[in-house]
């Protein structure tokens, strides 16, 4: 029987809620709906145990992980499954770089750290990566803050024989994935792109944070698309009434044979945290498998699941 992967999560928001609930759902139902890879190197979707959780919310600190994921402002829906207690109390997160050793000690026993805190705090993200390295734990950065794009950090993980995955997950079926596919389709069919834009609206706290700290996210979204000045990103919009749903609008203007105009408008509506969890479950298992086999540094096989892997703009 495969040994379960021991995971510590940083950030107890909607993405963590979708992941924790989803693992319980798939364990209980055996469903394969929405799963890209039922097993990665023998590790199944249900072969995950949570060993530590970090958050900054006073209400969540001290609560069991399975209670904290439902506390406001989290708004991802409850899935149809029984959710047993994780027996993992939420710990106060890292306040500043002086607390790296405290966090590293709390990571004892974990194999993978899933960094799912709000984007826009690059120093904090790198501090958690350092805590993971000191604790001998693989690190997965799901945010747009540069960690795996920092060559010094990559070299440190390589020297330690620890896997590093990042930056910024590409949602299972999100705006960037759809936009990239459409732009490639134009090119494959011989059409000439005139202009394109992307608008994203959401109601999670992550969206609220990104509206206030948009810089790294905007660059990361551009990293996920073909390099061209003909594609524009509108500022992210926060609308609380959307809850965990993201609504995206895409427009492409092109020319076909004889310079005839072609126009395409697409509306995408998804539960954003669900799309994140569908990718995080793969990134976690990739990181665990690599750690168990002694592969350190950036995992190139994870690049397709990321918006901003090493080599893209910071």
């Amino acid at each position: 029987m495969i040994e379960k992967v021991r995971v510590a999560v940083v950030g107890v928001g909607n993405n963590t809620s979708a992941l924790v609930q989803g693992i319980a759902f798939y364990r209980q139902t055996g469903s394969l709906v929405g799963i890209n890879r039922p097993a990665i190197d023998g590790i199944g979707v249900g072969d995950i145990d949570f060993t530590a959780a970090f958050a900054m919310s006073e209400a969540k600190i001290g609560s069991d992980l399975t209670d904290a994921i439902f506390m406001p402002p989290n708004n991802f829906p409850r899935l149809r499954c029984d959710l047993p207690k994780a027996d993992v109390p939420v710990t106060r997160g890292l306040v500043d770089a002086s607390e790296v050793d405290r966090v590293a000690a709390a990571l004892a026993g974990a194999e993978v750290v899933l960094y799912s805190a709000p984007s826009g705090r690059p120093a904090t993200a790198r501090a958690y990566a350092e805590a993971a390295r000191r604790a001998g734990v693989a690190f997965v950065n799901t945010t747009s803050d540069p960690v795996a794009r920092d060559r010094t950090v990559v070299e440190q993980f390589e020297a330690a024989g620890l896997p590093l995955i990042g930056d910024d997950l590409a949602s299972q079926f999100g705006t960037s994935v759809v936009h990239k596919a459409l732009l490639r389709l134009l090119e494959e069919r011989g059409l000439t792109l005139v202009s394109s834009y992307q608008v994203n609206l959401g109601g999670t706290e992550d969206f609220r944070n990104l509206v206030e700290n948009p810089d790294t996210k905007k660059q990361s979204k551009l990293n996920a698309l073909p390099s061209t000045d003909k594609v524009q990103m509108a500022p992210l919009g926060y609308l609380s009434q959307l809850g965990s749903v993201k609504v995206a609008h895409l427009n492409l203007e092109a020319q076909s044979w004889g310079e005839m105009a072609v126009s395409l408008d697409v509306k995408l509506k998804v539960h954003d945290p669900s799309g994140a969890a569908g990718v995080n479950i793969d990134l976690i298992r990739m990181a665990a498998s690599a750690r168990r086999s002694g592969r350190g540094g950036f995992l190139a096989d994870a690049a397709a699941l990321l918006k901003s892997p090493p080599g893209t703009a910071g």
Side-chain angles (χ1 to χ4, degrees), residues 17-99:
S17 176
L19 180 65
V20 171
Q21 290 191 73
I23 289 170
F25 173 83
Y26 286 111
R27 279 178 179 169
Q28 292 167 28
T29 65
S31 171
L32 294 178
V33 173
I35 293 176
N36 185 27
R37 308 180 196 192
I40 294 178
D41 294 329
I43 305 171
V45 170
D47 295 328
I48 308 292
D49 279 340
F50 295 96
T51 61
F54 300 87
M56 297 305 295
S57 166
E58 292 294 338
K60 294 176 182 178
I61 293 169
S63 300
D64 189 82
L65 174 61
T66 50
D67 294 325
I69 59 175
F70 297 112
M71 292 180 178
N74 290 12
N75 52 19
F76 182 73
R78 288 179 179 261
L79 300 183
R80 297 190 305 274
C81 64
D82 295 325
L83 192 62
K85 294 288 185 183
D87 292 325
V88 177
V90 177
T91 302
R92 184 180 301 280
L94 188 149
V95 176
D96 57 48
S98 69
E99 294 195 308

Side-chain angles (χ1 to χ4, degrees), residues 149-192:
R149 281 170 287 170
D150 186 325
R151 186 59 201 166
T152 299
V153 177
V154 174
E155 289 173 352
Q156 290 171 342
F157 273 76
E158 286 175 347
L162 295 170
L164 175 66
I165 292 178
D167 299 315
D168 201 6
L169 65 86
S171 186
Q172 193 172 20
F173 197 76
T175 320
S176 297
V177 169
V178 174
H179 201 170
K180 183 177 183 178
L182 291 173
L183 290 170
R184 282 184 171 173
L185 182 61
L186 287 182
E187 183 178 3
E188 289 171 3
R189 304 304 296 172
L191 278 72
T192 299

Side-chain angles (χ1 to χ4, degrees), residues 11 14-15 63 148 214 237 282:
N14 280 307
N15 290 357
S63 300
D282 288 355

Side-chain angles (χ1 to χ4, degrees), residues 260-273:
M260 292 294 98
V262 174
S263 182
L264 176 66
D265 287 284
V266 177
K267 177 182 177 181
L268 175 67
K269 189 174 182 180
V270 294
H271 278 277
D272 209 26

Side-chain angles (χ1 to χ4, degrees), residues 131-313:
R133 187 182 68 85
R134 293 183 190 182
V137 181
F139 190 77
V140 177
N141 176 33
T142 72
T143 78
S144 57
D145 294 328
V147 176
R149 281 170 287 170
D150 186 325
R151 186 59 201 166
T152 299
V153 177
V154 174
E155 289 173 352
Q156 290 171 342
F157 273 76
E158 286 175 347
L162 295 170
L164 175 66
I165 292 178
D167 299 315
D168 201 6
L169 65 86
S171 186
Q172 193 172 20
F173 197 76
T175 320
S176 297
V177 169
V178 174
H179 201 170
K180 183 177 183 178
L182 291 173
L183 290 170
R184 282 184 171 173
L185 182 61
L186 287 182
E187 183 178 3
E188 289 171 3
R189 304 304 296 172
L191 278 72
T192 299
L193 178 67
V194 174
S195 66
S196 183
Y197 66 76
Q198 181 185 129
V199 179
N200 292 274
L201 306 171
T204 65
E205 281 301 293
D206 191 43
F207 255 89
R208 184 203 290 271
N209 170 68
L210 289 170
V211 167
E212 298 171 357
N213 301 284
D215 292 345
T216 60
K217 190 65 175 182
K218 181 178 181 180
Q219 181 59 59
S220 188
K221 279 185 163 291
L222 288 170
N223 287 344
L225 300 175
S227 179
T228 172
D229 59 3
K230 296 180 180 179
V231 177
Q232 292 184 304
M233 298 282 172
L236 297 173
Y238 172 74
L239 298 172
S240 61
Q241 59 265 43
L242 288 176
S244 69
V245 171
K246 178 174 74 174
V247 178
H249 298 274
L250 299 171
N251 168 265
L252 292 89
E253 303 292 334
Q255 290 182 321
S256 63
W257 176 269
E259 298 186 352
M260 292 294 98
V262 174
S263 182
L264 176 66
D265 287 284
V266 177
K267 177 182 177 181
L268 175 67
K269 189 174 182 180
V270 294
H271 278 277
D272 209 26
S274 179
V279 174
N280 282 338
I281 191 65
D282 288 355
L283 297 179
I284 288 169
R285 291 181 293 166
M286 288 178 178
S289 176
R291 182 180 182 274
R292 291 175 179 183
S293 62
R295 288 189 290 140
F298 176 71
L299 300 184
D301 49 347
L305 303 180
L306 303 164
K307 290 190 184 79
S308 296
T312 56

